[in-house]
Structures are given as C-alpha cells and as structure tokens.
Amino acid sequence: MRVLVVANQKGGVGKTTTAINLGTALAAVGERVLLIDSDPQGNASTGVGVGRAQRSSTLYDVIMGEKPALSATVKTAVPGLDLIPADPDLSGVELELGHEARRSFRLRDALEPLRSSGAYSYVLIDCPPSLNLLTVNAMAAADAVLVPLQCEFFALEGLSQLMRTVDLVRGNLNPRLEIQGVVLTMYDKRNSLSEQVAGDVRAHFGDTVYQSVIPRNVRVSEAPSFGQPVLVYDLKCAGSQAYLRLAREVVLRERARRAVPA
Ligand code: ADP
Ligand code: MG
C-alpha cells in the first residue's frame, strides 16, 4: 500500500480535482484505491457522489480514535474506489487535540491496520489549502507527496514554501517522505503565461514534474456538480484522458522506485 498526499497550501490549484480523478484513473487501471477527504469542506466527498446523508462515519471519527479507519470507508459508484468522507467537524481537530502527544501521528497510527489488511494498493489524501495540523498529519502518514501546481504567476514561490514544509516533516516526523511528483494543472495553451510558468517549473524541478499536464477543461469543472469524477462524466474529454496518462506515470514511478534496491 502506497499513501500519496495531494498537497499545496494554495487553494484552488486543483488538489481536490486531482485527488478525485487520479484516484478514479488508478481504480480504472485496476488499483484498489482509498480516497481520504482531509478537507473540512468535504469537496472530495461531494465530488465522488457521497452526500451528507452518507457521511455517518468520517475522517473526524478516525482521527479522534472513535472509529477504525476500515470501518469508516464507504464505497463510491466507481468500482475499486472507496472513500473516507469529511464533514465540517474536521476543522475542530486542531483545537480538540491541543498539545496531546502524537497529535501529528493520529492519521499514521489510524492507517497502520490498513497497511497490514492489504485492502488497498493506493491511498490518496486530499488536503485542505493550508499547512495546518491536518496537512501535517497527512504528510506524517504518507509515503510521498504529489503536488498540483496551477500555471500562474506566483506558482514557484508557493512551491518552494511547500518543499520547505516537506523538508521539515522529513526532519521531524517522517524521514521516508518522498516527492512523487509535481503535476501542472489548469494548463491553458492559449495563455503564454501558462507556457512560461511551465517552463520555469520544469527548469527548477526537472524530472520531478510529470510529463502529463492537466489542461483547463470545462468538463472537469462541470463534473463535481453531478457528483461524478470527470472520468465517469465524460471519459473522452481532454481532462479525463490527461488524468489517465497521469495515473500511468504515477504507477510507473512507483514501479521504478520498487525496482531500486533500498
Ligand atoms: P483545490 O482543491 O486546490 O482548492 P480544486 O480541485 O477544488 O482546487 O479546483 C478549484 C476549481 O478549479 C474548481 O472549481 C475546479 O472545478 C476547477 N478546476 C480544477 N481543475 C480544472 C481543470 N483542469 N479544468 C477546469 N477547471 C478545473
Ligand atoms: Mg480542495
């Protein structure tokens, strides 16, 4: 089981969209995927069609130790894709845990039984748009970070800040944390800024940046209002095809990593 955390402290860069659709694409190529919604807004839950009524158990219960992770999962309409949903209670976690020991390891501890169960090959965690305790828990629980990056003017500054956070987490909480990759999102080929930023990001981060680029595509933004991943809503559209290519790249990186003796 590989735990990938989808993180970027900026809002609106495509984290939730990437978590949903990469998760769906991985399930489509035969992986057993668990999507964990770690944003109190619950957009990932809504986006895979799990409404408020189906959120009797949530990530809040799991982090507070009131429910084992395995019993908080719900099936989605996508075969091979399960979800641990979020609700607004999740925003209370920071206050409720106070200065408790192991407050940063709540999620990691909760996911341990999942690792030994063999139920999932990939766990994707959708993070809130900040570097708060929820994001720290996600990074402490993860094997690798996947960073969606919108091709806009301050993208590189934001990315540097995120990389510093990853270094801090590595130094203090999770030495094995890797960067799975950086994915360029909402790429608009008619906009020269998109191209310029993409070039700068590739110059700085080289092969860390996936070859697959997610284009700005109206079908991608329509899909959540139907409670469907875009791959279900419109498999043929450019956005769906880009997420399928990204999934293949993610799997290839994981295979290459396993092939290298530790
Ligand atoms: P985050 O989780 O980082 O806040 P979201 O995934 O919610 O970002 O995306 C922010 C907004 O941009 C949403 O309205 C989403 O539908 C839209 N969006 C994301 N990716 C695309 C895309 N490739 N094409 C068009 N709209 C997109
Ligand atoms: Mg989001």
Side-chain angles (χ1 to χ4, degrees), residues 212-224:
S212 315
V213 170
I214 312 300
R216 185 176 283 283
N217 179 196
V218 50
R219 306 300 272 170
V220 173
S221 55
E222 286 168 2

Side-chain angles (χ1 to χ4, degrees), residues 136-189:
V136 168
N137 261 272
M139 286 190 184
D143 299 301
V145 185
L146 194 150
V147 187
L149 196 80
Q150 194 183 343
C151 296
E152 60 184 1
F153 193 59
F154 287 113
L156 266 180
E157 280 81 359
L159 191 54
S160 308
Q161 192 188 345
L162 183 72
M163 294 301 181
R164 280 196 297 277
T165 304
V166 171
D167 281 340
L168 273 173
V169 170
R170 249 189 223 130
N172 296 296
L173 303 170
N174 183 3
R176 67 175 179 199
L177 187 65
E178 298 167 1
I179 304 287
Q180 225 279 345
V182 173
V183 57
L184 301 173
T185 62
M186 289 181 251
Y187 186 84
D188 182 354
K189 59 176 187 270

Side-chain angles (χ1 to χ4, degrees), residues 15-47:
K15 286 182 293 298
T16 300
T17 304
T18 296
I20 291 173
N21 293 300
L22 176 60
T24 304
L26 285 169
V29 298
E31 301 292 343
R32 287 157 294 128
V33 183
L34 175 65
L35 175 61
I36 297 182
D37 190 350
S38 186
D39 185 336
Q41 290 193 31
N43 293 341
S45 310
T46 312

